[in-house]
Amino acid sequence: PVAIAAGLLGGLFLAGSWWDGPAPGATDPGQVVGWGLPVARAVSVAAATLTFGWLLTATLLVPQGRRGVLSRIGRQDAKRAGWAALVWWVSATATMLFNHAMMVGLPLRDALDPGVLGAYLFAVDTNTAFFVASVCGAVIAIATPWVSRTGPTMALLGVAAIGLAAPAVTGHSHGLGDHGLAIAAGLVHALGAAAWLGTLVAAAWHVLRRDPGQRTLIPRVSALVTVCLIALGLSGAGSAYARVEQPID
């Protein structure tokens, strides 16, 4: 946990998200919001990626039982997805509330006043997106202890995809010239990155534990990673094209 926290804070510093107070003339929501927002958002993205990766591995990558019943390994992966979804649920909710406080320019305690919360919480698309992500995380966290077949697990994988897609298709894409292309590129990029990183973590976990079924798992992960890399390249090119107003002569 200490190493993870140190790496997260180092990443915030290198990415330029280190809290240094508001711009001159801007309202100051305080350091709790200034620090809390990027940390909560980073945790939310990481937890969403792990949730999607574990569900994808449980549903499609590890060997399955007969007649659509999850294997023992698949069942364990679904449970791990549930724990990751619990973290996703909490961190996405925190991201929504911190972002709300940042948008209204008030300390968190004041921003959570029922009058302020009711009037402004869903006035920003980003807050709505993280609300959707929070609900998706909650559904997965609550449902995974009860699933034992590939069908319901596939449905939860779809729920995770919705939760990943919601923040990805809001924000910067609205102001771009080719709106539809920007949204499609953001969606493909988010799902491709989550599938790539999430399944790599799951595969590494199984390899280190020497779990059975690796002869089936590793080739499937390798094929999926190849598809994801192609998707990421294409979505990156599409996103770049959407940001170009017109070619330079």
Side-chain angles (χ1 to χ4, degrees):
V2 175
I4 294 173
L8 179 58
L9 292 176
L12 292 174
F13 176 75
L14 293 174
S17 297
W18 194 266
W19 174 250
D20 58 358
T27 55
D28 184 6
Q31 292 193 30
V32 171
V33 174
W35 283 100
L37 177 56
V39 171
R41 184 158 190 163
V43 172
S44 177
V45 171
T49 298
L50 291 177
T51 301
F52 192 74
W54 283 119
L55 285 174
L56 186 57
T57 304
T59 307
L60 299 175
L61 301 183
V62 297
Q64 299 300 337
R66 296 180 178 180
R67 298 179 181 179
V69 176
L70 289 175
S71 64
R72 180 180 64 85
I73 298 299
R75 186 78 181 87
Q76 291 173 349
D77 285 352
K79 289 182 178 179
R80 295 184 185 105
W83 285 110
L86 179 61
V87 177
W88 186 15
W89 176 8
V90 173
S91 57
T93 302
T95 301
M96 176 182 65
L97 297 178
F98 281 131
N99 193 68
H100 161 69
M102 183 68 75
M103 292 298 102
V104 298
L106 294 173
L108 186 62
R109 182 176 179 178
D110 297 334
L112 295 182
D113 178 87
V116 177
L117 200 64
Y120 298 106
L121 180 61
F122 295 118
V124 180
D125 289 345
T126 305
N127 291 346
T128 304
F130 275 98
F131 173 75
V132 172
S134 174
V135 171
C136 291
V139 169
I140 296 169
I142 293 171
T144 45
W146 310 101
V147 297
S148 59
R149 303 183 68 86
T150 55
T153 311
M154 180 69 76
L156 292 180
L157 181 63
V159 172
I162 294 172
L164 278 163
V169 299
T170 58
H172 298 297
S173 61
H174 289 290
L176 299 179
D178 196 329
H179 181 64
L181 178 60
I183 289 180
L187 176 60
V188 171
H189 197 85
L191 295 180
W196 177 26
L197 295 175
T199 54
L200 281 180
V201 170
W205 174 273
H206 287 305
V207 169
L208 291 174
R209 287 168 51 89
R210 298 183 179 179
D211 288 331
Q214 292 185 35
R215 291 186 177 181
T216 301
L217 173 64
I218 299 303
R220 290 178 179 179
V221 171
S222 178
L224 177 64
V225 167
T226 302
V227 173
C228 289
L229 288 175
I230 295 172
L232 288 172
L234 293 175
S235 63
S239 181
Y241 177 81
R243 285 165 168 78
V244 177
E245 294 294 335
Q246 61 183 20
I248 297 176
D249 294 332

